[in-house]
Amino acid sequence: MAETHEAREAVVEAALGALDLDAKTRLLAGQDMWSLPALPEIGLASLVMSDGPIGVRGRHWTADDPSVALPSPTALAAAWDPELARRAGVLLAQEARRKGVHVLLAPTVNLHRSPLGGRHFEAYSEDPYLTGRIGSGCVEGVQSGGVGTTVKHFVANDAETDRFTVDNLISQRALRELYLAPFELIVEQARPWGVMTAYNTVNGTTMTEHRLLVNEILRGEWGFDGFNVSDWTAARSTVGAIEGGLDVAMPGPKTVYGEALARAVRAGEVAEATVDAAVRNVLRLAARVGILARAEPVVAEAELPSPVDGEALAREIARRSFVLVRNQGNALPLKPNTTVALIGAAARAARVLGGGSATVFPARIVSPLDGLTAALPEGALSYAVGADPNTELAVAEQGFTLRALCRDAAGQVVATVPLPNGQITWVGSDLPDGVTHDILHTVELTGTFTPRATGQHTFGIKGIGAFVLTVDGTTYYEDVQRPAKDDPFISFFGAPEPRALVELSADAPVEVSLTHTVARPVGIPLRVVGFSLAHQEPQRDPDELIAEAVEAARAADTAVVVVATTERVESEGYDRTDLQLPGRQDDLVHAVAAANPNTVVIVNSGSPVELPWREEVAAVLLGWFPGQEAGAALADVLTGAHEPGGRLPTTWGSLADAPVSRVVPENGELPYTEGVFIGYRAWEKAGRTPSYPFGHGLGYTDWTYDDIKADGSSVTVRVTNSGARHGREVVQVYLAPTEPDPERPARWLAGFAGVEAGPGESVEVRVELPRRSFEIWDETANGWAVVKGSYEIQAGRSITDRRVATTINV
C-alpha cells in the first residue's frame, strides 16, 4: 500500500511539473456547476462532483436518471451503528459510479446546536462523538467504492440564518471539544479525500480564507492530505482564499480563481508554490479516484464492493432508525387480526427527505398508506385525511404528469425533459442536453393533472419573472412576479403565490401549462433557471376532516396517526421559528386520542418537534425523513416483523425549555455564549427535563444490565435480554467526573456498541474509551490536557437511564 501511495504521489508530481500557470489556475476553478476542467496534456479527465447525503443526484436535477433515496442523516445516526453507515456509504459510491460521479458532497457533520436549525435533518447529532463515528462509517463506505467524499461544512455551519455572512463567535475550547471534534475524528479514522469549507465566518475570518483552521489545524495538526473545496459561491477573495488553504472555488466558470489567480501570481501577490500546493491536492484526488493517467486508483475495478440492493438497504436503514419513544400497554407491535384506522394526509403523501440541495428523485416512494395496505389483511385498514401539514400550496406532484419544453427565441422546441414534479432548478450549466443559456428563451412546464377530489383547486407559481399559467384551456395569469420583500432568496425558497382557482372533477384529467420567460441578468456569475408550478387540493373544513378521522378511529381497534413537517418547515436556506407541527395536526391527535385510547402516532420529521399530546396516546414512533421505502419499513415495524431499532441522536423537548435556541445574528454576529454546553450537556446543566432524552429508544423486548468492569482504556458490559423476543440493544457508555466541575458537563458520551440476543440470553460487549474522553482543551496552554481524578463510568439505555456504573482513577 505504501509503495502504491508513493507511486501515485510520483505521478502527481510529474503531472504538476508538466502544467503551466494558466492550466494550474484553471484546474482550481470549476468549469461549470459540478465539474473541474479536463487537462488532456497530462491525461487528466474532468472531475465530477455531486450532492448528496441521502442519495446521489448526478450532474442534472432530473427524473431521467432516478436516485436511490436513503433515510435522512438524522435517521442514520439514530441507528447508532457505524457499520450500517458504512454500508450506506457503499451504496452511495455504487450510485455515484453509475452516474459518472467521482466525488460525493457529503457527509454533513455539523452539530445540532439549537433545535431551530432548519437543516439539521442533513446532519447527524448534537453529540460530536456520535457524529464522528457515524460520519467515519459513511466516509469509509463511500471511499471503499473508489469515490471521494467532502466532509462538510467546515466549520460551525450550525444554522441557516444569514449563513453567507454570519460571524460565529466561538471560544477555542468549544471549537475544539465540540465543533471541530467530528471532523478531527473522521480525519483520524476514515482519512477522507476531501473537505468542504462553509459559507460562514468564524471569529472574524470567513471559512474559505481561514488559514488557522484549515492550514494549521486541519492540515498541520491532523495531517489531512485531501482537497478543500468551497461551498458553492462561498469563495470571495482570490488572495485570501488561496492563502487561507482553499484548493478549489466552485462553481464555475466565473470564480475567484482561474484567470484572476494567474494574474495575482504574475503581480507578485501570490507565490506560485502556494498554487502548486492546491493543484497537488486536486491531482492527488484525481489519482485516488482513477482519472489521472498512469496513476493507480486507490480502489481497482476488481476490488469494488459487491453490488448493494438499494431498495432493501433503504428499507433496513429506515426500520433500524425508527425510535419508539413511548409504548404504553404494549400498543406496538399491532396485535394479529386487528383493525387499523390510518389517519393523516402525511400517511398518503409521505415526506421522505428534507428540502434544499440534498433533494433527489427516487424511482418510487412507498407511503405509509401503501406499506400498510400491502402488509395488513384485506379489510383491516381504513383511511381518513384528518389534517394536512401543508397549509399552503406545495410543488405540484400527486396526480401530475409533467414535462418541460425548452424553446428558443423563435419558439422552436430545443429540448423536452420529463419531470418528477412541478419544480425546475437548473443552475449554471446544469441544463437539459442540447440547451444553453444563450439560446434558451422560454421554459414551458406542461402536462396533465388528474384530480383525486372534486371542488375548487388552487394553482400557483413560485419564482421571479414573467409567467403564463393556463389550466384546462383557460389562461389565469399572465404577468411578472417580483421578488418578495426585494429578496430573491425568499422568492426561491418561500411560499408559492396562488394565481388560479379552478373547479375540477375527480378523476377527470385536464391540461396544465406554466410558461416562464427566462431573464438574462447582467453581472451575475451563476445563471439560474428556477421556478415551480404549485397546487393545493380543495380545502374542506378542518373540523369536518378531524370529525371524520375521529369516527374512523372509534370504529377501529387501533388508530395510527401520521404527522409531519413540510419543506416550508425543514429545509436548507432558513431556520425554524418554532418547533410546532404545521396546520391542525396537534388538534387531530388530541381528538383521535380522546376517541381511541389505543392511538399510535408516527412523527415524520427530520429533527425535533413539540408533541403536546404525547402523554395522551399509547405509542409514539419517531420516523425522521425515512427515505423512499418509508411505508414498507413502517409496516415492518408496526406489524412486529422487525423491532424499531433507533435511539435518539439528539434531545427532543419544548422550545421554551431548550437551553440553547438562538440562531439569529445581531449586527452580523452570533456569539456561542453557551460554550461547551449544547444538547444534553446543556439540558443537564440547566436542570431541565426534556420530552425524551438523548439516547432514548424502546424496542420490543426488555434488557437487564448485569455488570460493568473497567479494564485500562475499555469497559466490558454484560446485558441480558429479559424479554420474550430477539432484539438489539445499544449499550451507551457515559463518563462522569465524580467531583462536579461547573466548567465541564455532568457527563458525556464516551462510547457505545450494539448487541443482539435472544430471549433469556446474556451477552458481553467491550467498549473502548478514547483518551480524548478524559481531555479538555486548555486555552492557556493551547493544547489538550488530561483532567486527572476520579470518574464514574456509567452504562445504560440513555443519558438519563443509566443502569450500571464503576469508578476509575485517571
Side-chain angles (χ1 to χ4, degrees), residues 534-574:
H535 170 259
Q536 187 177 48
E537 289 193 325
Q539 294 300 286
R540 292 182 53 202
D541 183 287
D543 291 324
E544 282 184 19
L545 290 173
I546 291 174
E548 288 178 6
V550 166
E551 288 308 307
R554 278 204 185 100
D557 297 323
T558 302
V560 176
V561 186
V562 182
V563 296
T565 61
T566 68
E567 191 165 323
R568 294 277 291 131
V569 175
E570 291 186 88
S571 174
E572 177 181 358
Y574 44 82

Side-chain angles (χ1 to χ4, degrees), residues 306-319:
S306 300
V308 177
D309 182 331
E311 289 184 359
L313 183 58
R315 184 170 179 169
E316 179 186 351
I317 293 172
R319 64 184 181 233

Side-chain angles (χ1 to χ4, degrees), residues 393-395 422-425 445 459-469 477 479-499 514-519 528-534 568:
L393 281 73
V395 171
Q423 179 173 325
I424 297 280
T425 309
L445 202 159
F459 294 83
I461 305 167
K462 181 160 69 171
I464 303 167
F467 293 96
V468 179
L469 173 63
Y477 182 82
D479 206 340
V480 176
Q481 284 199 163
R482 313 222 175 257
K485 301 177 183 176
D486 297 320
D487 185 346
F489 192 75
I490 292 176
S491 297
F492 189 75
F493 282 102
E497 293 287 338
R499 297 299 184 187
L514 177 62
T515 301
H516 172 54
T517 302
V518 178
V528 178
V529 180
F531 65 97
S532 298
L533 171 66
R568 294 277 291 131

Side-chain angles (χ1 to χ4, degrees), residues 52-71:
I54 61 115
V56 184
R57 190 164 61 242
R59 284 176 177 262
H60 298 301
W61 203 313
T62 173
D64 274 354
D65 184 14
S67 307
V68 174
L70 295 176

